[in-house]
């Protein structure tokens, strides 16, 4: 935190509703849902414009990413205990002898091991950072923090500093 500035956004529209279950060897939650709330904090240097960055871009990109998870079942594609198989237009997810078969369009396969708020926060951090880098929107940003809450009052936070980005 070189300059001490940070900006936060926890907007009503950075919410998504999704179904999931936590699974690891020997344990599986029943399928259930949450109304997730995402928050973003960026740390950085003040640009000549008087801003750390154009926050409109961050809000737009974050909303697009969050919308892709909305009203989906979140499945961790890198799970160490789920067998995931495409069957035509469906996805079959097997845990031990239990099997879910869902339409592919209802499922969001994510590159995570568990669909915990911690891993969702880290996934969203990477997606957001990648897309903002593609848009060259991170000049002056030194760190990004993404929080994900499954409900009011308890959030997992993933924070990482941004390496120097060639612009
Ligand atoms: Zn849950």
């Amino acid at each position: 935190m070189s300059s001490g500035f940070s900006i936060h956004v926890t907007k009503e529209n950075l919410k998504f509703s999704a179904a999931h279950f936590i699974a690891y060897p020997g344990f599986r939650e029943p399928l259930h849902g949450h109304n997730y709330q995402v928050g973003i904090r960026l740390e950085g240097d003040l640009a000549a414009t008087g801003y750390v960055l154009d926050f409109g871009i961050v809000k737009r990109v974050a909303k697009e990413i969050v919308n892709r998870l909305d009203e989906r079942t979140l499945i961790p594609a890198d799970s160490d205990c789920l067998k995931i198989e495409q069957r035509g237009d469906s996805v079959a997810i097997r845990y031990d002898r239990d099997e879910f078969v869902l339409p592919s369009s209802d499922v969001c396969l994510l590159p995570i091991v568990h669909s915990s708020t911690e891993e969702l926060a880290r996934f969203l951090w990477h997606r957001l950072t990648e897309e903002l880098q593609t848009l060259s929107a991170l000049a002056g940003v030194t760190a990004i923090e993404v929080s994900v809450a499954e409900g009011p009052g308890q959030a997992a936070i993933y924070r990482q500093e941004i390496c120097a980005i060639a612009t």
Side-chain angles (χ1 to χ4, degrees):
M1 276 194 279
S2 51
S3 69
F5 285 105
S6 74
I7 28 184
H8 299 242
V9 65
T10 306
K11 296 278 285 184
E12 190 65 18
N13 69 0
L14 285 183
K15 279 183 171 167
F16 64 98
S17 300
H20 87 137
F21 57 87
I22 299 288
Y24 49 83
F27 175 80
R28 177 180 71 78
E29 284 186 322
L31 183 67
H32 64 279
H34 296 284
N35 294 315
Y36 291 93
Q37 173 73 59
V38 175
I40 296 162
R41 198 163 74 87
L42 297 105
E43 298 165 16
D45 306 317
L46 208 58
T49 56
Y51 297 106
V52 171
L53 81 172
D54 179 352
F55 220 67
I57 294 175
V58 178
K59 283 191 280 192
R60 179 171 56 77
V61 169
K63 180 151 175 54
E64 284 168 8
I65 295 168
V66 163
N67 281 354
R68 287 176 220 144
L69 307 181
D70 192 35
E71 299 187 343
R72 297 286 185 276
T73 297
L74 308 181
I75 299 297
D78 298 337
S79 169
D80 54 359
C81 63
L82 301 177
K83 290 197 174 64
I84 300 162
E85 189 191 320
Q86 288 286 338
R87 282 186 201 158
D89 292 334
S90 300
V91 183
I93 303 121
R94 179 187 287 274
Y95 173 87
D96 200 6
R97 279 172 299 179
D98 303 335
E99 187 176 71
F100 302 90
V101 180
L102 297 164
S104 297
S105 54
D106 288 18
V107 171
C108 215
L109 286 171
L110 301 174
I112 56 181
V113 182
H114 314 93
S115 57
S116 60
T117 48
E118 289 86 343
E119 292 194 33
L120 287 172
R122 186 174 55 187
F123 162 75
L124 291 172
W125 188 99
H126 283 286
R127 248 326 124 73
L128 180 69
T129 303
E130 275 165 26
E131 297 199 15
L132 290 174
Q133 281 176 343
T134 302
L135 296 168
S136 302
L138 288 179
V141 174
T142 53
I144 298 179
E145 185 179 283
V146 173
S147 63
V148 176
E150 284 184 342
Q154 190 177 328
I157 296 169
Y158 185 79
R159 178 187 178 279
Q160 195 177 311
E161 297 194 358
I162 305 288
C163 303
I165 297 156
T167 48

